[in-house]
Amino acid sequence: GILQHPDGTVLKQLQPPPRGPREQDFYNKVYDSDCCDSVLLELREYLPKYFGVWSPPTAPNDTYLKLEDVTRKFNKPCIMDVKIGQKSYDPYASVEKIQQQVSKYPLMEEIGFLVLGMRVYHVSSDSYETQNQHYGRSLTKETVKDGISKFFHNGYCLRKDAVAASIQKIEKILEWFEGQKQLNFYASSLLFVYEGSCQATTMRLSDVTLAEKRGMPKGLLSGGDILEYNNNIHVINSTENGKIEASVSKGLSKFYALHKKAYSKRHHSQLSLKVENLEQGNMWKSSTCITQEHLNGNVIPQLEKVFCHMPAEIKESANVEVRMIDFAHVFPSNTRDEGYIYGLKNLITVLQNILDN
């Protein structure tokens, strides 16, 4: 397994020869301080950073690769490991090894990728759902789309922003593969990470504060109350273009209580939440009204409609990482890695279908 180093990096124990030394050589080549190969220099963008090898003082013969912890910046990281390529065995594999790998997932050649596992944070229950490799191997051509979409569902809604941002990241990796003929990758994976939680913050509910700090429409909320946004509806930082996203978590009752208190003073009967975004020259608008009668009712679907199913173009806000990992079977080549390219294209197609549907 992966171990955590006190300095914030992660440690991956070196596998037995030839796999471990081969992976170490790969990292050493890509991260060589004298490297001037533009192909390898660009490849660094898609890998976890490499900090050499490390051995514990009590066991100097145990060697670990010291790598960037891609999940470190996330509060509630949602993580998925997807093996990419039409073959999960390398050109030097024995007949027995080939048969073993093919039998594990016979659809690998046709689908081009395999979900090795996922861990998804559900906002609704404040808990994680975990799926192992048996889940991925149970997916067929007909069910793979739903199987992947499970990773992007947070218990309330489908995180289309994270899907769209993931597609963007994969497309960059695909561009790199289509432009290089130096290396072929087998049994290598993509690691997906996105932020599953709602960030806790405290904000004064006044016209001026909200308008200045979040770019919210003036008059959206009024009153001098302080609302602790932990586990409540809250507004995520707006982008420079004034795009605003909001998300819902489980403590809605507290928000509603404060809302009623503030608005009883002002004799207002409804709260309008508006999301506006300039999209290709046109104003895209969606709004919903929460009346007093709705406060104790089922308002979540209305909020989902506004905040969870935003246009695919609104993807700058998604905090997503997609990195290549596992390089025990990387070999020099003079041809494009068509198996890996096939897998990436097929994965993009599946994600695009999730987004479109």
Side-chain angles (χ1 to χ4, degrees), residues 224-240:
D225 298 279
I226 297 292
L227 174 58
E228 294 292 335
Y229 272 76
N230 186 24
N231 290 328
N232 287 283
I233 183 170
H234 73 286
V235 180
I236 299 171
N237 288 335
S238 58
T239 64
E240 292 181 359

Side-chain angles (χ1 to χ4, degrees), residues 166-212:
S166 296
I167 292 172
Q168 264 192 335
K169 302 270 186 181
I170 301 170
E171 285 175 340
K172 293 293 292 180
I173 295 173
L174 175 59
E175 284 179 23
W176 181 84
F177 270 91
E178 290 182 327
Q180 69 91 23
K181 296 181 179 180
Q182 295 185 30
L183 299 168
N184 280 7
F185 295 73
Y186 302 90
S188 184
S189 292
L190 289 183
L191 185 72
F192 292 77
V193 190
Y194 72 87
E195 180 57 65
S197 76
C198 301
Q199 298 300 312
T201 184
T202 302
M203 191 186 305
R204 177 171 291 277
L205 298 185
S206 67
D207 296 345
V208 175
T209 304
L210 280 172
E212 287 180 354

Side-chain angles (χ1 to χ4, degrees), residues 226-348:
I226 297 292
L227 174 58
E228 294 292 335
Y229 272 76
N230 186 24
N231 290 328
N232 287 283
I233 183 170
H234 73 286
V235 180
I236 299 171
N237 288 335
S238 58
T239 64
E240 292 181 359
N241 294 332
K243 298 171 185 173
I244 298 170
E245 264 191 86
S247 62
V248 182
S249 63
K250 65 180 182 180
L252 289 168
S253 57
K254 183 178 179 182
F255 174 79
Y256 294 152
L258 285 168
H259 165 75
K260 293 173 81 171
K261 178 182 175 185
Y263 271 70
S264 64
K265 299 174 185 175
R266 298 279 299 274
H267 306 292
H268 287 308
S269 63
Q270 67 180 27
L271 165 67
S272 295
L273 300 179
K274 294 185 178 180
V275 179
E276 298 184 357
N277 175 54
L278 277 174
E279 179 186 355
Q280 298 176 351
N282 298 319
M283 183 66 76
W284 174 84
K285 296 184 179 181
S286 180
S287 64
T288 185
C289 293
I290 308 173
T291 63
Q292 294 294 337
E293 291 75 24
H294 291 148
L295 290 176
N296 295 319
N298 184 15
V299 76
I300 290 177
Q302 295 173 278
L303 292 168
E304 285 181 354
K305 189 174 181 181
V306 179
F307 301 131
C308 295
H309 300 286
M310 304 179 76
E313 286 75 14
I314 306 179
K315 51 197 171 190
E316 292 84 356
S317 62
N319 192 1
V320 176
E321 290 286 353
V322 180
R323 304 288 186 94
M324 297 170 61
I325 58 170
D326 298 336
F327 307 111
H329 302 277
V330 179
F331 297 92
S333 175
N334 54 13
T335 61
R336 292 202 321 175
D337 191 341
E338 297 296 347
Y340 203 104
I341 290 172
Y342 175 89
L344 290 177
K345 287 182 175 179
N346 216 25
L347 181 55
I348 290 171

Side-chain angles (χ1 to χ4, degrees), residues 24-229:
Q24 184 181 350
D25 289 344
F26 169 81
Y27 274 114
N28 286 337
K29 181 178 181 181
V30 174
Y31 283 94
D32 188 334
S33 58
D34 295 326
C35 177
C36 55
D37 186 330
S38 60
V39 170
L40 299 183
L41 291 174
E42 184 187 346
L43 178 59
R44 292 180 185 179
E45 297 177 31
Y46 313 123
L47 312 182
K49 292 184 179 66
Y50 174 61
F51 302 100
V53 294
W54 179 89
S55 295
T58 55
N61 293 327
D62 290 348
T63 305
Y64 294 80
L65 298 173
K66 202 162 184 282
L67 301 166
E68 172 190 6
D69 181 359
V70 180
T71 71
R72 183 175 172 81
K73 68 179 180 180
F74 296 90
N75 181 32
K76 296 288 186 181
C78 297
I79 306 167
M80 179 170 65
D81 185 335
V82 182
K83 186 184 289 188
I84 304 293
Q86 290 179 284
K87 297 177 181 177
S88 56
Y89 54 88
D90 64 54
Y92 304 99
S94 64
V95 174
E96 292 76 21
K97 180 69 173 179
I98 293 173
Q99 291 175 344
Q100 178 198 51
Q101 289 298 313
V102 171
S103 65
K104 284 182 178 180
Y105 194 55
L107 290 172
M108 190 77 179
E109 188 165 356
E110 188 172 357
I111 293 179
F113 61 85
L114 167 63
V115 177
L116 292 178
M118 65 174 70
R119 187 167 178 259
V120 188
Y121 179 72
H122 283 182
V123 178
S124 52
S125 59
D126 188 26
S127 62
Y128 278 96
E129 177 185 355
T130 304
Q131 302 289 351
N132 62 21
Q133 56 187 315
H134 299 294
Y135 171 80
R137 287 174 184 155
S138 71
L139 299 177
T140 65
K141 287 185 296 180
E142 292 73 30
T143 62
V144 68
K145 183 185 127 193
D146 291 338
I148 294 282
S149 68
K150 196 180 190 78
F151 173 64
F152 294 99
H153 204 286
N154 67 4
Y156 277 129
C157 61
L158 182 69
R159 285 287 304 277
K160 287 195 171 187
D161 59 332
V163 179
S166 296
I167 292 172
Q168 264 192 335
K169 302 270 186 181
I170 301 170
E171 285 175 340
K172 293 293 292 180
I173 295 173
L174 175 59
E175 284 179 23
W176 181 84
F177 270 91
E178 290 182 327
Q180 69 91 23
K181 296 181 179 180
Q182 295 185 30
L183 299 168
N184 280 7
F185 295 73
Y186 302 90
S188 184
S189 292
L190 289 183
L191 185 72
F192 292 77
V193 190
Y194 72 87
E195 180 57 65
S197 76
C198 301
Q199 298 300 312
T201 184
T202 302
M203 191 186 305
R204 177 171 291 277
L205 298 185
S206 67
D207 296 345
V208 175
T209 304
L210 280 172
E212 287 180 354
K213 290 191 175 181
R214 290 291 185 267
M216 294 288 286
K218 192 172 182 180
L220 176 65
L221 292 170
S222 296
D225 298 279
I226 297 292
L227 174 58
E228 294 292 335
Y229 272 76

